Amino acid sequence: MPIVNMLDAKTNLSKLVDAVETGAEEEIIIARNGKPAAKLVQLDAQPKRKIRLGLAVGKYPPLDYESFQALDAEIEKMFLGENEDK
């Protein structure tokens, strides 16, 4: 991530844009009086981290409360086995 001062950015703008477009540089910081003022990035650049929500949508059937509670007995049988003494 190079930092370029304003005067150099003005004289070499096409080179800086080419560097970002080709991927030679991910981003270029343009500074004014030594302080970062702007960031030059590719227009269609994707965010660095993409949050993916809803990965399980449509993979499982809907489950209402009564059906969910009915699974407790089935799971208990799996762990404890069939108990004929009840």
Side-chain angles (χ1 to χ4, degrees), residues 63-72 75:
L63 193 63
D64 61 351
Y65 182 75
E66 288 78 22
S67 301
F68 181 76
Q69 292 299 324
L71 293 175
D72 285 349
I75 293 170

Side-chain angles (χ1 to χ4, degrees), residues 12-85:
N12 297 313
L13 183 60
S14 61
K15 291 179 183 177
L16 296 174
V17 170
D18 285 341
V20 171
E21 277 183 328
T22 60
E25 295 291 343
E26 186 175 325
E27 61 184 33
I28 297 173
I29 303 297
I30 299 172
R32 177 181 298 177
N33 298 327
K35 295 179 183 176
K39 186 188 316 184
L40 183 61
V41 295
Q42 209 174 32
L43 185 58
D44 59 350
Q46 297 295 322
K48 290 182 182 178
R49 186 181 70 176
K50 198 172 200 179
I51 299 173
R52 295 180 62 190
L53 299 176
L55 294 176
V57 171
K59 290 186 178 182
Y60 302 100
L63 193 63
D64 61 351
Y65 182 75
E66 288 78 22
S67 301
F68 181 76
Q69 292 299 324
L71 293 175
D72 285 349
E74 185 178 333
I75 293 170
E76 184 178 347
K77 288 179 187 178
M78 285 186 225
F79 278 98
L80 302 177
E82 297 287 334
N83 191 352
E84 296 178 14
D85 295 337

